[in-house]
Amino acid sequence: KFDSPDKLKAFLEKTTDDMLQVKRIEKLTVHFPSENLHAGLRIIDTPGTDSLNTWHEDVTKWAINEISDISVIITSAMEPMSASLIKFIRNNLKDILGQCAFVVTKTDRLVNDDDDEDEPADEREETIHYVEMKAATDLDIENPAVFPYSSKLVLDDASGRKIRPYLKDVLSQSYDTESRLMQYMERMRSIVQTARLIELIDEMYAQMGGYIKKEHDFEKNRLSSLEQKRRGALSEFIDNYLLHIYRIYP
C-alpha cells in the first residue's frame, strides 16, 4: 500500500525500467479508487512507442490487439504525431484503426501569460486540426476522434494548487475532454464487443458448417458403397440363376 500516487508512480517506474526485475514479474495489478473503474472501465497503460527497449513495443502491440476494446493514442502538443508514432501505428494497428482515439497532451504548453487573448485558443485549435489531418492523410482514418488535454493542470486543480487565469480555459477544455472521451469509449466499447460477438458467431457457424459437410460426405460415401455392393450382389445373383437354368435346360 502506498501513501500517495507519487510513491506508487515512483515504484512502478523503478520496477518497469529494471529488465531483471521485469522478467520475474508475470502480472502486476494496481488498485486505485475511481468511480470510472467501478463502472467496469479497465485501463492498460502500455509503454511508449519511442521506448529504447524493443520488448516494450512488443508488449504494447500485444496488449492493443489482444485485450483492449479501444486504444487511446497519446501524442504531445510539443511534437504532435511524431514519425515514430505514425510508423508504429501503421505497422501494428492497421487492423484496429477504427477503435483508436487520439489525445493531444501538454496543451498548457501552448499558452503563456504574454499571449493575446485569442492567440492561445487559435494555436490549440491549429494543433488539434494538425493531428486530425495527419490521422486522416497518413493513416487513412475517416473522421478521427481527437481530444485536447493537460494532465498537469488537472492534477494541479485536484491537489488544490492555484490555476493561473490564462490557463483556466485549458483546464476547462481538459475536463470536457474527460467527459467526451468517456462517452466515446463507452460507445466504441459497445461497438467493438458487438463486432467480436458477431465474429464469434460467424466462426461458430463456420465450424458447424464444416462438421455438417464432413458428416454429409461420410454418409454420401457410405451410401454409395452400399449401393455398389447391392448392385454387385444383384449381378452375382442373376449370373448364378442363369447358370442354374442353363444346367437344368442345356
Side-chain angles (χ1 to χ4, degrees):
K1 185 175 180 179
F2 298 90
D3 297 333
S4 69
D6 289 338
K7 290 183 179 180
L8 172 61
K9 179 176 180 291
F11 169 78
L12 292 176
E13 289 178 347
K14 180 180 178 181
T15 302
T16 55
D17 287 340
D18 187 341
M19 286 292 294
L20 295 177
Q21 180 74 5
V22 167
K23 289 182 179 179
R24 294 194 291 266
I25 299 175
E26 180 177 345
K27 182 179 180 181
L28 179 63
T29 302
V30 178
H31 296 272
F32 192 84
S34 169
E35 290 299 324
N36 292 329
L37 297 181
H38 283 303
L41 176 66
R42 297 294 180 267
I43 300 174
I44 306 169
D45 184 18
T46 63
T49 58
D50 56 353
S51 172
L52 297 178
N53 296 320
T54 56
W55 69 272
H56 278 182
E57 189 168 302
D58 294 337
V59 169
T60 299
K61 178 181 177 181
W62 175 83
I64 290 174
N65 285 278
E66 298 298 330
I67 59 176
S68 66
D69 294 325
I70 177 175
S71 298
V72 180
I73 300 172
I74 307 299
T75 184
S76 171
M78 299 295 95
E79 190 183 1
M81 300 298 280
S82 65
S84 63
L85 177 60
I86 291 177
K87 180 181 178 181
F88 177 85
I89 295 173
R90 282 176 174 170
N91 293 342
N92 302 295
L93 308 182
K94 59 182 179 180
D95 295 331
I96 58 169
L97 287 177
Q99 301 167 215
C100 296
F102 296 84
V103 173
V104 182
T105 61
K106 301 181 180 179
T107 52
D108 57 289
R109 301 278 190 90
L110 300 176
V111 186
N112 60 68
D113 53 6
D114 295 329
D115 286 327
D116 293 334
E117 182 177 351
D118 295 331
E119 286 183 356
D122 290 343
E123 189 170 359
R124 294 199 305 275
E125 290 177 3
E126 288 175 2
T127 303
I128 296 300
H129 290 329
Y130 175 79
V131 174
E132 291 173 341
M133 181 271 294
K134 294 290 285 184
T137 58
D138 291 11
L139 302 174
D140 295 324
I141 301 177
E142 185 177 355
N143 299 322
V146 182
F147 306 92
Y149 196 72
S150 171
S151 56
K152 179 182 183 303
L153 292 184
V154 172
L155 291 174
D156 285 348
D157 188 51
S159 60
R161 295 187 180 96
K162 185 178 180 180
I163 305 299
R164 297 181 181 181
Y166 66 90
L167 289 173
K168 289 186 177 180
D169 183 51
V170 181
L171 176 63
S172 176
Q173 194 176 48
S174 297
Y175 281 130
D176 182 60
T177 283
E178 290 184 0
S179 176
R180 292 170 56 207
L181 185 58
M182 286 297 300
Q183 294 173 7
Y184 180 82
M185 291 171 65
E186 284 297 326
R187 184 169 69 254
M188 289 303 302
R189 182 184 183 187
S190 298
I191 294 174
V192 170
Q193 290 182 347
T194 300
R196 287 180 176 173
L197 180 59
I198 293 174
E199 183 179 346
L200 181 62
I201 293 174
D202 288 343
E203 182 179 348
M204 180 184 68
Y205 276 120
Q207 291 179 352
M208 289 177 59
Y211 175 77
I212 292 172
K213 184 178 185 305
K214 182 179 179 181
E215 289 297 312
H216 173 268
D217 292 342
F218 174 78
E219 293 298 333
K220 182 178 179 180
N221 291 334
R222 191 175 72 162
L223 180 61
S224 177
S225 177
L226 291 174
E227 184 68 19
Q228 290 177 1
K229 289 181 179 180
R230 185 183 67 81
R231 291 176 180 176
L234 179 60
S235 176
E236 183 179 357
F237 171 77
I238 293 174
D239 289 342
N240 290 335
Y241 181 76
L242 292 176
L243 180 60
H244 175 71
I245 296 298
Y246 177 76
R247 286 175 180 173
I248 297 177
Y249 306 102

